[in-house]
Amino acid sequence: MKANPRKYYPVVYSRGEIKRLLDNVKGRWGLMARLQYGCGLRISELCRLRVKDVDLERGKLYIRASKGDKDRCVPLARSLQEPLVAHLKVVRKTFEADRQANVPGVFMSGALDRKMSQACKRWEWFWLFPMQSLSRDPRGERDAAKRRHHILPR
């Protein structure tokens, strides 16, 4: 029986290929790749992680409003805990610089923004992978303030 040329066959990488791939990605991109691979995250879930979603004590990662608007909890590899602590120290500096510059805070969905109006300025709600620069929300109003958004899936 011949293979159907129109049928899609998924590509599954070997352990060696995955190791070589992850060894060649450095810095925060490497941490993001390891988190995505090690925790089974979709790219959008990875980008939208907040500081409060990482529980280093219990070794858990909380994914909020995932596919089907469901929340889930996944184990966090021990090998990622130390790099995450180092990454959080760098992100904390960005957070503190934003607070010093009186940036309006991070984006919060409409209901959360109304319910907890000051949460956008608190450390636990800050993005785990924030953008380097401030920007206006493209979905928002024309005169919306510049704020810190999460890194984009692109």
Side-chain angles (χ1 to χ4, degrees):
M1 182 176 198
K2 291 177 88 175
N4 183 349
R6 291 189 192 130
K7 187 167 182 179
Y8 169 76
Y9 294 98
V11 176
V12 179
Y13 295 109
S14 69
R15 286 184 181 205
E17 290 171 321
I18 294 294
K19 183 177 181 350
R20 285 192 302 276
L21 175 76
L22 293 177
D23 286 346
N24 285 307
V25 183
K26 305 293 183 210
R28 87 171 152 172
W29 302 110
L31 177 61
M32 290 174 75
R34 284 175 174 74
L35 263 175
Q36 186 176 7
Y37 178 75
C39 298
L41 302 179
R42 292 172 181 87
I43 188 76
S44 59
E45 295 168 344
L46 176 72
C47 293
R48 288 190 322 241
L49 284 173
R50 295 186 188 258
V51 171
K52 70 183 191 71
D53 297 332
V54 179
D55 188 347
L56 294 169
E57 244 178 68
R58 293 186 180 91
K60 304 264 185 204
L61 195 63
Y62 297 95
I63 315 318
R64 316 231 185 241
S66 182
K67 189 175 181 180
D69 204 26
K70 298 195 185 231
D71 295 347
R72 62 189 170 108
C73 176
V74 296
L76 183 61
R78 286 191 188 120
S79 63
L80 291 174
Q81 291 183 355
E82 193 174 309
L84 268 172
V85 168
H87 176 73
L88 283 168
K89 287 180 183 175
V90 172
V91 171
R92 184 72 187 225
K93 290 177 184 173
T94 303
F95 168 78
E96 289 171 355
D98 282 359
R99 296 287 47 83
Q100 290 291 328
N102 218 12
V103 173
V106 296
F107 173 77
M108 305 281 281
S109 68
L112 277 176
D113 199 31
R114 287 188 301 272
K115 184 177 180 182
M116 303 183 303
S117 60
Q118 294 303 308
C120 63
K121 296 179 182 178
R122 294 182 19 213
W123 166 241
E124 60 268 19
W125 286 95
F126 202 71
W127 302 113
L128 187 59
F129 298 106
M131 288 185 84
Q132 295 295 325
S133 58
L134 301 177
S135 64
R136 287 187 173 84
D137 187 355
R139 300 165 296 174
E141 305 138 20
R142 289 181 187 250
D143 61 339
K146 281 190 169 184
R147 58 180 68 234
R148 183 85 49 192
H149 291 275
H150 61 73
I151 203 160
L152 298 175
R154 300 181 258 156

